[in-house]
């Protein structure tokens, strides 16, 4: 069963944008009786969405916050690969194909129904809008969920009021959660009052999704409402609220995030550090410096990354101390941050780091000195050119050329990869 289905899916993907209604119908019919994991894969193939599509999935494909600081001081590398995109596709789609999806919009299989909602939402108009509004008012909560999902895909501002009503009044927490997600997809600040009220919903998944939606809207008017969510009993709500404040990037959130840096859970403290780095306000330095003494290395690393993002010389003294941290990854990231700040006061600590026991620390310190471009680093970098490790020698050579302002030679490249990962 699975092999023929996957073959059909490959055929659908390979033949885009000329989708065949018969193939689509065949795939959808097979999905009705397929395993939920297979249906999840099919949903991603047909709609280019992540998330879990099966019966146990806990959100309408909502991309959960996964901020991932990946400092790359030197240019290099590139992306590639095959990417299928159906969202926002401007190509005309065969009306027969749309009819094939519309035919299953009220199917009893939730995954099949929601795949259809995504496709119709991305290729709809008034007809799809009316269809989803009708479903949002259906007696069956599973149909109401699909209606909310479709309205979120449409991203039509006309849906803000009906979705807000569903968010505040629907008896099903799944419908309320999907309505909150849809409001986040529409991204209009007129939804902020409804989402603010939803932060007090009795269901944590609704509160979490409302916080996510406020982050998606990215309006500073959501900062104060999100402050209440920072005290939520549910960890996922607090994490998402902190993420949302980082997405909004308004300095008024810094005092709130400073409080979040003291949360009992290290994941929240780490997320707060990331958010302060996103906002890039100098007033975030003090709480970040406190996090540099956190017992959890990932929290310390993220705080250091954030200080590098803020790029303020006020953090140099604290970062100089972190160059002696017991964790080599912390020391690498510290050297990177000092290079980002480019403050002359960091020269002596970085020259000392050229003798670190870890080769990545030495290479990153050399790169940072090249960024600062101070003649005081010349002696230390000259000695580093005799390092036993090639990457350190190359970084030192590059740094000396930076100091000499010699950009003629491009055969030396330095790539620094501090390993930092932040996710709720």
């Amino acid at each position: 069963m699975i092999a023929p289905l996957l073959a059909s899916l490959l055929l659908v993907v390979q033949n885009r944008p000329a989708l065949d209604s018969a193939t689509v119908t065949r795939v959808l019919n097979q999905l009705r009786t397929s395993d939920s994991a297979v249906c999840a894969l099919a949903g991603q193939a047909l709609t280019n969405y992540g998330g879990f599509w099966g019966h146990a999935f806990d959100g309408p494909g909502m991309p959960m916050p996964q901020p991932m600081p990946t400092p790359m001081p030197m240019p290099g590398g590139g992306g590639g690969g095959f990417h299928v995109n159906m969202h926002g596709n401007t190509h005309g789609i065969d009306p027969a194909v749309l009819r094939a999806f519309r035919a299953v919009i009220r199917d009893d299989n939730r995954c099949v129904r929601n795949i259809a909602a995504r496709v119709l939402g991305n290729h709809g108009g008034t007809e799809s809008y009316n269809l989803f509004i009708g479903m949002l008012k259906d007696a069956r909560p599973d149909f109401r969920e699909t209606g909310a999902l479709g309205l979120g895909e449409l991203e039509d501002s006309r849906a803000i009021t009906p979705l807000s009503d569903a968010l505040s009044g629907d008896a099903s927490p799944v419908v309320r959660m999907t309505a909150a997600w849809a409001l986040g997809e529409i991204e209009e600040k007129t939804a902020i009052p409804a989402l603010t009220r939803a932060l007090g919903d009795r269901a944590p998944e609704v509160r979490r999704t409302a916080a996510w939606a406020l982050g998606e809207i990215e309006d500073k008017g959501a900062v104060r409402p999100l402050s209440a969510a920072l005290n939520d009993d549910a960890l996922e709500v607090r994490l998402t609220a902190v993420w949302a404040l980082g997405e909004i990037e308004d300095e008024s959130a810094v005092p709130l995030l400073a409080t979040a840096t003291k949360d009992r859970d290290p994941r929240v403290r780490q997320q707060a550090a990331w958010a302060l780095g996103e906002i890039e306000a100098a007033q975030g330095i003090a709480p970040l410096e406190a996090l540099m003494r956190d017992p959890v290395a990932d929290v310390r690393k993220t705080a250091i990354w954030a200080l590098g993002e803020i790029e303020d010389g006020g953090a140099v003294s604290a970062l100089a101390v972190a160059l002696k941290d017991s964790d080599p990854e912390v020391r690498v990231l510290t050297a990177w941050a000092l290079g980002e700040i480019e403050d002359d006061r960091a020269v002596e600590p970085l020259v000392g780091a050229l003798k670190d026991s870890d080769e990545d620390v030495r290479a990153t310190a050399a790169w940072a000195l090249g960024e600062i471009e101070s003649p005081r680093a010349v002696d230390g970098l000259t000695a580093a050119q005799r390092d036993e490790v090639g990457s350190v020698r190359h970084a030192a050579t590059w740094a000396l050329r930076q100091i000499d302002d010699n950009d003629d030679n491009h055969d030396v490249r330095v790539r620094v990869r501090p390993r930092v990962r932040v996710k709720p």
Side-chain angles (χ1 to χ4, degrees):
M1 172 64 186
I2 293 178
L5 177 56
L6 293 179
S8 297
L9 285 173
L10 286 173
L11 182 62
V12 171
V13 172
Q14 290 171 355
N15 283 295
R16 284 184 181 175
L19 292 173
D20 181 294
S21 62
T23 302
V24 170
T25 299
R26 182 171 66 255
V27 170
L28 292 173
N29 284 335
Q30 289 175 312
L31 288 176
R32 285 191 173 101
T33 56
S34 71
D35 179 83
S36 60
V38 174
C39 194
L41 292 172
Q44 294 176 38
L46 287 168
T47 65
N48 193 41
Y49 277 85
F52 182 64
W53 286 81
H55 292 287
F57 86 142
D58 62 358
M62 183 178 71
M64 284 318 301
Q66 292 191 3
M68 190 182 299
T70 52
M72 295 293 291
M74 290 297 296
F82 180 69
H83 182 67
V84 179
N85 184 16
M86 196 161 186
H87 186 76
N89 189 350
T90 58
H91 295 289
I93 190 168
D94 187 346
V97 171
L98 290 178
R99 286 195 296 272
F101 283 110
R102 197 172 290 115
V104 298
I105 195 64
R106 291 179 179 270
D107 196 273
D108 285 334
N109 185 298
R110 182 192 194 197
C111 180
V112 169
R113 193 170 62 242
N114 288 350
I115 289 173
R118 287 201 184 277
V119 174
L120 294 173
N122 281 290
H123 297 275
T126 299
E127 184 178 2
S128 290
Y129 176 81
N130 292 334
L131 171 65
F132 293 136
I133 286 292
M135 294 187 74
L136 188 64
K137 299 176 182 177
D138 198 277
R140 286 180 53 169
D142 53 349
F143 286 177
R144 299 199 300 275
E145 176 200 9
T146 300
L149 178 65
L151 290 170
E153 294 298 337
L154 276 173
E155 300 180 9
D156 190 324
S157 60
R158 292 178 296 173
I160 291 177
T161 296
L163 286 169
S164 297
D165 292 342
L167 177 57
S168 61
D170 200 282
S172 167
V174 174
V175 175
R176 298 198 302 275
M177 179 184 69
T178 310
W181 170 85
L183 290 170
E185 288 292 289
I186 295 172
E187 296 185 12
E188 291 200 14
K189 63 182 181 180
T190 53
I192 290 177
L195 291 166
T196 297
R197 292 190 294 271
L199 291 174
D201 194 279
R202 60 187 178 276
E205 62 269 27
V206 177
R207 301 197 300 273
R208 172 177 174 262
T209 311
W212 172 86
L214 289 169
E216 286 293 290
I217 294 171
E218 297 184 3
D219 187 273
K220 64 181 181 180
V223 170
R224 184 180 294 275
L226 284 165
S227 64
L230 296 178
N231 298 315
D232 199 282
D233 290 336
L235 170 62
E236 291 298 320
V237 177
R238 300 201 305 278
L239 279 171
T240 309
V242 170
W243 170 85
L245 291 171
E247 286 292 289
I248 294 170
E249 297 185 12
D250 189 82
E251 288 191 26
S252 65
V254 171
L256 302 176
L257 291 168
T259 300
T261 61
K262 302 174 185 176
D263 192 275
R264 61 188 178 275
D265 193 289
R267 287 168 289 182
V268 177
R269 300 197 299 272
Q270 184 184 16
Q271 190 80 346
W274 169 83
L276 288 168
E278 289 292 288
I279 294 173
E280 300 183 8
Q283 64 184 122
I285 291 176
L288 287 168
E289 288 181 345
L291 284 182
M292 289 172 61
R293 299 186 292 274
D294 197 278
V296 179
D298 283 343
V299 177
R300 298 198 302 274
K301 287 190 288 185
T302 309
I304 292 165
W305 169 85
L307 289 170
E309 290 293 290
I310 293 173
E311 299 183 7
D312 189 285
V316 168
S317 296
L319 287 168
V321 174
L323 278 175
K324 300 181 183 196
D325 193 277
S326 60
D327 188 320
E329 291 187 6
V330 171
R331 300 198 301 275
V332 168
L333 195 55
T334 300
W336 169 83
L338 289 169
E340 289 290 288
I341 293 171
E342 298 184 19
D343 190 290
D344 192 70
R345 289 171 291 179
V347 171
E348 280 70 27
L350 286 168
V351 168
L354 292 174
K355 300 177 182 178
D356 194 278
S357 60
D358 186 275
E359 63 187 67
D360 289 337
V361 175
R362 300 197 300 275
T364 309
W367 167 83
L369 289 167
E371 291 291 289
I372 296 172
E373 300 183 7
S374 171
R376 302 204 318 274
V378 169
D379 290 345
L381 288 167
T382 301
Q385 286 184 304
R386 299 187 294 274
D387 195 279
E388 62 184 10
V389 177
S391 62
V392 179
R393 297 195 300 270
H394 293 163
T397 299
W398 174 84
L400 287 168
R401 287 176 176 154
Q402 290 294 106
I403 293 171
D404 289 340
D405 196 27
N406 179 2
D407 295 326
D408 295 334
N409 195 322
H410 300 288
D411 63 345
V412 178
R413 289 181 176 271
V414 182
R415 176 175 292 184
V416 184
R417 301 190 194 88
R419 295 175 287 276
V420 182
R421 184 179 180 88
V422 186
K423 65 177 181 178

